[in-house]
Amino acid sequence: MRLALDEAGQAVRGGDVPVGAVVLSPDGTTVLASGHNEREATGDPTAHAEVLALRRAAAALGEWRLTGCTLVVTLEPCTMCAGALVQSRVDRVVYGARDEKAGAAGSLWDVVRDRRLNHRPEVVEGVLAVESAGLLTEFFRDR
């Protein structure tokens, strides 16, 4: 999560909401890829930290299936990112702060654990939640 928090800090420098993500290999020790929000920097509405990290991890593995991998992200994924997590077949999602307004991994919706879908990753929430939420609070307070 500390690596994801570092990524989140990079998002702020680009004018984006501070969300960072990393994808860990199945052994849990190797970082396959990382990303931070780049919507403002790139003008791409899909440039969320999770989507960018998933794309980069798939490129690193040469495979779209990220079976066995873990995505660690500072903020609970939105519906778009939750769908990408299901589609990429990651085994686990670890996130920091809950997103009561747009979260799709247990707060507002629970897309990643919807029993109607063919894949449901494990969800671990609240890891370094205070630090993750603090970055967001500081960012929006300054706006």
Side-chain angles (χ1 to χ4, degrees):
M1 186 60 78
R2 297 249 182 246
L3 294 174
L5 286 164
D6 290 344
E7 281 289 330
Q10 292 182 45
V12 174
R13 289 190 282 284
D16 279 283
V17 175
V19 177
V22 296
V23 177
L24 301 174
S25 65
D27 68 13
T29 61
T30 304
V31 174
L32 294 174
S34 61
H36 56 270
N37 278 1
E38 295 182 19
R39 291 186 308 169
E40 298 297 331
T42 63
D44 178 356
T46 69
H48 288 205
E50 301 95 321
V51 170
L52 296 173
L54 292 171
R55 287 176 185 163
R56 292 169 184 157
L61 290 176
E63 168 73 49
W64 67 265
R65 288 178 191 86
L66 301 179
T67 305
C69 294
T70 299
L71 179 111
V72 180
V73 61
T74 59
L75 180 65
E76 180 181 357
C78 69
T79 53
M80 175 183 68
C81 294
L85 290 165
V86 170
Q87 292 300 314
S88 69
R89 308 298 197 270
V90 297
D91 277 13
R92 183 173 311 95
V93 179
V94 177
Y95 70 85
R98 287 175 63 93
D99 186 349
E100 300 294 340
K101 295 181 180 178
S107 289
L108 188 58
W109 296 289
D110 201 354
V111 171
V112 295
R113 292 180 284 206
D114 189 317
R115 295 186 100 23
R116 295 169 292 182
L117 299 175
N118 65 331
H119 179 75
R120 290 176 298 281
E122 173 189 2
V123 176
V124 178
E125 67 176 84
V127 177
L128 297 180
V130 172
E131 293 90 335
S132 297
L135 282 175
L136 293 160
T137 300
E138 183 179 325
F139 178 81
F140 287 111
R141 183 180 357 185
D142 294 342
R143 299 235 168 251

